[in-house]
Amino acid sequence: MPIHGRGFGVRMVVAALAATVTIGAGAAGGGALAQPTGSAGGNGVVGTGSLTDGTAEDGVLGNGTTLVTGSVGTGSAAGTGSGNWLPPVIDSIVPAPDLGSPDIPTLQAAMLPAPVGEAFFDEYPPGLDAMANGAVIGTRDVTPVARQLLRGPVREVRQYKVKSTDAAGAPSFATATLVVPATPWAGSGPRPVLVNNVPINSLGRDCAPGHTMANGITLSTNTFELTRPVTAKAEERGYAVLIPDHEGPRMAYGEPFVGGHSILDTIRGMRALYPDEFGDSPIAMMGYSGGSIATHGAVKLIDSYAPELAGDIVGASLGGVPADFEMLARTMNGNLAGGLFLAALFGISRENPEILALANKLARQLGVSSLKDACGNKLMVLGLFQVPAEALANVKQALDTPVAHSVYTKMRMADRKSATPLYLYNGGQDFWVPALGTRNLYDEQCGYGVPAVYRQVPGEHFAAELTGVGDAFDWVDARLRGEPAPSEC
């Protein structure tokens, strides 16, 4: 293709990306189903099956995945066929944002989510350095609003804010919502607690579940979460439900260390607020998709970050687990899932600023635009334009650089053992978050001696949540009732 042709195509990409800044809510479409079985190597085409990782046999353009199931020409280097020529062309036609300074800290600060006008979500209180992790900063009763969004009767819905830490260990905070059902606990021992790590999948603070519980349904509400049965099923059994805002105040979508710290510190805060009722309660976690990223971080950080909780966290269920970002760079980049992939890249960069050194002028423009506050519904629309990550980089094959591989390794957390038994499941036809990634996590944790179960369920990514959540909840329910965790390793 001659360079002038490429320039025209890039201008179309830039125009499409610029248009998304003002697009409202929407959803990306689906795609063809793959076969339920396939080789672990995977050829990255529709029909190879659940164990494909989206890798082409030789990385030649058009020999990898499709616009539905993966980036065009995706190869073993996790780079699209356009990864060599796109960066210099885009940087030559897009002006840099006027930030007053080109340094990384200035860019990082400009890319953070805007305040939502509530100190509860916005303000870092003074004295965080001196607080213990999990120390309660403040609480508020949101029962009048929240009870209208919950299916069962509630005794109390309380939000609270606790001291936490960011991905680098610096002082931060976390917020969460605790739902206590109206039905008295009739079981033996203290009332169990289910930690429902919902798939937030967003960059703006008003997209978090805590904002919805306090303010009601808005244009930013995660409607997918309202249809999930996890909270309602737990209420029916008399369990309390803890819903952390696990992306943290920076809304670090895709970052497992922030997610893990937020979850564990809000558990600590719950026990500090209700020592008699929940001080000794058995606790289990559930998370799907973006929620499983945070759950994945939490279970692997218990031993090092919150060892006092290890004896009471009795199990965790993770579904559709995006634990391998290198794999996702082959299966979600430059296709209908690309909007969420790019959003996760932005979210992770909020806690890992070394990524921003690879951001070109277009990436910087988008990073400081209204997209920095976008919720999952708007971010999914970006996938319609099928823009690869390489269009936002200032180097060739950005997804195969040392910085990229360092981030892959960090996000995978493969050197850490879960401190609690695991139930893992994935859709057999999930071409965006392939079953191979969840199966690899299962094998990894079995190797550490963790009691674990893996289930492959019917459906692609969205359908698999519906087909898999019932058995996942039953497994968690059994742990909260005191049954020992089985292992199929």
Side-chain angles (χ1 to χ4, degrees):
M1 180 185 294
I3 191 67
H4 63 78
R6 292 173 181 170
F8 174 76
V10 171
R11 289 185 177 89
M12 294 298 291
V13 167
V14 173
L17 281 169
T20 64
V21 175
T22 56
I23 289 176
L33 293 180
Q35 298 299 314
T37 58
S39 66
N43 294 323
V45 294
V46 176
T48 57
S50 62
L51 294 184
T52 181
D53 65 354
T55 302
E57 291 178 343
D58 56 13
V60 175
L61 184 65
N63 191 40
T65 51
T66 72
L67 291 177
V68 174
T69 63
S71 41
V72 175
T74 300
S76 59
T80 63
S82 54
N84 285 320
W85 62 262
L86 261 180
V89 173
I90 286 185
D91 250 5
S92 70
I93 64 175
V94 177
D98 182 12
L99 298 177
S101 173
D103 63 275
I104 296 302
T106 299
L107 176 60
Q108 183 187 22
M111 290 177 60
L112 295 180
V116 293
E118 295 182 47
F120 185 80
F121 296 114
D122 293 336
E123 293 185 3
Y124 287 72
L128 277 178
D129 278 340
M131 297 181 187
N133 291 335
V136 178
I137 298 169
T139 73
R140 62 184 188 179
D141 185 0
V142 295
T143 307
V145 175
R147 67 162 33 115
Q148 301 175 47
L149 306 174
L150 299 167
R151 300 182 192 177
V154 295
R155 183 192 84 194
E156 177 183 8
V157 183
R158 179 160 297 275
Q159 291 187 336
Y160 55 93
K161 181 175 181 176
V162 298
K163 156 68 185 315
S164 189
T165 57
D166 66 13
S172 184
F173 67 85
T175 55
T177 305
L178 179 66
V179 178
V180 184
T183 306
W185 173 243
S188 59
R191 188 192 295 268
V193 179
L194 177 61
V195 182
N196 183 10
N197 298 317
V198 305
I200 303 173
N201 299 358
S202 300
L203 297 174
R205 290 179 182 169
D206 60 349
C207 315
H211 188 271
T212 297
M213 287 291 188
N215 296 280
I217 295 176
T218 69
L219 292 176
S220 301
T221 296
N222 184 339
T223 53
F224 176 69
E225 169 53 28
L226 294 179
T227 66
R228 297 175 74 236
V230 172
T231 296
K233 288 171 72 71
E235 285 185 278
E236 290 172 1
R237 286 160 172 76
Y239 302 157
V241 183
L242 179 63
I243 308 173
D245 299 320
H246 54 71
E247 291 186 4
R250 291 177 178 159
M251 294 301 292
Y253 171 34
E255 218 293 329
F257 287 88
V258 169
H261 293 165
S262 297
I263 292 166
L264 297 174
D265 284 328
T266 54
I267 292 173
R268 285 166 159 162
M270 173 192 69
R271 300 178 87 168
L273 283 170
Y274 300 88
D276 295 335
E277 187 167 9
F278 300 120
D280 297 310
S281 292
I283 300 165
M285 306 181 197
M286 292 189 72
Y288 188 81
S289 189
S292 72
I293 296 175
T295 309
H296 173 237
V299 300
K300 288 185 173 180
L301 289 169
I302 295 171
D303 279 343
S304 61
Y305 189 78
E308 79 279 8
L309 299 179
D312 292 330
I313 298 178
V314 296
S317 165
L318 294 78
V321 191
D324 189 339
F325 210 74
E326 184 174 11
M327 183 182 294
L328 302 184
R330 297 190 290 268
T331 60
M332 294 182 69
N333 182 25
N335 59 37
L336 293 180
L340 290 177
F341 177 77
L342 293 178
L345 190 60
F346 277 21
I348 291 171
S349 73
R350 286 172 165 174
E351 295 284 336
N352 298 269
E354 66 271 19
I355 297 173
L356 299 179
L358 305 181
N360 64 10
K361 298 171 186 175
L362 176 59
R364 294 176 180 221
Q365 289 279 18
L366 292 171
V368 301
S369 75
S370 63
L371 283 176
K372 71 178 185 178
D373 296 309
C375 297
N377 48 13
K378 182 186 292 187
L379 295 170
M380 289 175 68
V381 175
L382 283 173
L384 295 174
F385 301 107
Q386 301 175 350
V387 176
E390 290 86 347
L392 306 181
N394 60 17
V395 297
K396 297 178 180 180
Q397 299 300 343
L399 297 177
D400 195 33
T401 58
V403 169
H405 285 283
S406 174
V407 171
Y408 299 152
T409 298
K410 182 179 180 181
M411 299 302 104
R412 199 177 290 123
M413 304 177 73
D415 60 339
R416 296 174 182 261
K417 174 185 176 181
S418 171
T420 192
L422 300 174
Y423 180 95
L424 306 171
Y425 67 101
N426 213 98
Q429 293 76 38
D430 193 334
F431 31 70
W432 289 332
V433 184
L436 179 62
T438 303
R439 178 74 195 199
N440 286 345
L441 176 60
Y442 168 74
D443 291 339
E444 169 198 292
Q445 292 301 302
C446 282
Y448 286 128
V450 177
V453 172
Y454 172 77
R455 291 288 181 270
Q456 184 169 296
V457 300
E460 45 66 58
H461 193 67
F462 294 100
E465 159 68 339
L466 302 178
T467 59
V469 68
D471 287 344
F473 185 90
D474 289 344
W475 183 92
V476 166
D477 184 45
R479 305 292 78 74
L480 291 175
R481 288 187 280 104
E483 297 181 16
S487 182
E488 299 178 0
C489 292

